[in-house]
Amino acid sequence: MHYYRYETAEVSCCFKYLMFSYNIIFWLAGAAFIAIGFWAWSEKGVLLDLTQVTRLHGFDPVWLVLAVGGVTFILGFAGCVGALRENICLLKFFSGVIGFIFFLELTAAVLAFVFQEPLKEWIGDFFLANVKAYREDIDLQNLIDSLQRLNHCCGANTPSDWDLNAYFNCSQQNPSRERCGVPFSCCLSDPADTVVNTQCGYDVRIRKGDWSDTIYTKGCIPALEEWLPRNIYIVAGVFIVISLLQMLGIFLARTLISDIEKVKFSYY
């Protein structure tokens, strides 16, 4: 058996430092996300009492921040160190995980297109569960308020969905001052207002009939259904940009692996 020596084989500095530059941004971004997540938990006192995590019945946005930050940090670390140390194992781990994430994204997109009705029902149930837990977590509360204000909507399907919340339901046994009301984010906003009226939703649903002169009457699920076709090119563009960045990372990693293997082979 003959072995061919690559006398001029060397690792490309261009690809090596492109790979490093590509990943240092994600490494730092991941560290920032993790820091923000733990800061948010410390502000809510979760770090002093971790059982609060299990007691929350709704979605805690901090979990998403920590998950994205953790994955980004690990991948950025593997890419940076793998490039600088010319470590094939770390580079293969990086390209493999990026490829797996890309596959999951494609699978999720196809499933979302094929199973539109079940997905719509799941999103509706998810939103209703978080309406019920609205007052349990400040980050969840801010997330729902932002969603309702940006999309000019209220509740999952109708403002009456707020009956599921212990503070806003219309039962006679409810002692809350917010009884039969809605959050302030459901109120019609006036651009001239400089101060947010957080009590504008009080007693709104006590009055029977049309509420459209006071609050948004469209649910957030129908609002999302209307928003998506209008912004399909933006959504597709974001997906394409993310996909290109992922493919660029895989290309840089595989090219660097190939160079390193050629250099190692030239020594035999």
Side-chain angles (χ1 to χ4, degrees):
M1 183 179 292
H2 297 283
Y3 294 94
Y4 296 92
R5 294 176 59 85
Y6 294 84
E7 300 295 341
T8 60
E10 62 179 14
V11 176
S12 170
C13 289
C14 179
F15 284 115
K16 179 176 180 177
Y17 289 106
L18 270 176
M19 182 69 179
F20 175 78
S21 302
Y22 174 90
N23 282 281
I24 192 66
I25 298 172
F26 293 103
W27 191 6
L28 295 175
F33 271 97
I34 292 172
I36 291 170
F38 281 111
W39 171 78
W41 266 359
S42 69
E43 288 292 302
K44 294 189 292 187
V46 174
L47 296 181
L48 299 176
D49 181 13
L50 293 177
T51 59
Q52 291 185 38
V53 176
T54 60
R55 293 201 299 265
L56 181 64
H57 296 98
F59 170 68
D60 186 353
V62 177
W63 276 114
L64 180 61
V65 173
L66 288 174
V68 171
V71 172
T72 306
F73 181 85
I74 292 171
L75 287 176
F77 174 82
C80 285
V81 177
L84 287 180
R85 302 294 298 174
E86 299 179 6
N87 188 302
I88 291 179
C89 289
L90 286 176
L91 290 172
K92 285 184 176 180
F93 169 79
F94 171 84
S95 61
V97 174
I98 291 288
F100 179 68
I101 291 174
F102 181 68
F103 172 76
L104 289 180
E105 290 170 351
L106 287 178
T107 303
V110 171
L111 291 177
F113 179 78
V114 174
F115 300 103
Q116 294 184 32
E117 286 304 316
L119 178 63
K120 178 183 172 182
E121 292 179 8
W122 180 84
I123 293 175
D125 293 340
F126 179 76
F127 198 97
L128 289 174
N130 287 285
V131 163
K132 188 176 180 180
Y134 175 76
R135 289 294 190 203
E136 294 186 21
D137 183 81
I138 187 63
D139 292 320
L140 174 62
Q141 181 176 310
N142 290 334
L143 180 63
I144 293 176
D145 284 335
S146 298
L147 182 64
Q148 292 189 146
R149 296 187 72 177
L150 289 174
N151 293 281
H152 297 170
C153 59
C154 187
N157 298 294
T158 68
S160 297
D161 291 335
W162 285 99
D163 269 333
L164 295 173
N165 188 275
Y167 294 89
F168 295 101
N169 73 67
C170 290
S171 65
Q172 295 297 328
Q173 294 77 24
N174 183 9
S176 171
R177 177 61 188 87
E178 296 176 304
R179 174 182 171 272
C180 230
V182 292
F184 74 93
S185 54
C186 286
C187 298
L188 297 177
S189 57
D190 186 349
D193 290 341
T194 56
V195 179
V196 176
N197 180 8
T198 57
Q199 300 179 357
C200 61
Y202 285 11
D203 305 323
V204 167
R205 291 187 297 115
I206 291 178
R207 174 170 57 88
K208 302 299 181 182
D210 188 15
W211 302 324
S212 59
D213 58 337
T214 309
I215 62 173
Y216 303 117
T217 55
K218 182 186 297 181
C220 290
I221 302 301
L224 179 62
E225 291 177 337
E226 293 178 6
W227 177 89
L228 192 57
R230 292 198 309 266
N231 298 273
I232 189 65
Y233 292 112
I234 296 176
V235 174
V238 170
F239 181 78
I240 291 172
V241 169
I242 293 174
S243 300
L244 288 176
L245 286 173
Q246 291 172 328
M247 287 188 285
L248 174 62
I250 294 173
F251 169 76
L252 291 174
R254 298 308 303 180
T255 302
L256 200 53
I257 290 170
S258 178
D259 283 355
I260 296 169
E261 288 178 339
K262 285 181 180 178
V263 171
K264 287 187 175 182
F265 181 73
S266 68
Y267 288 107
Y268 293 101

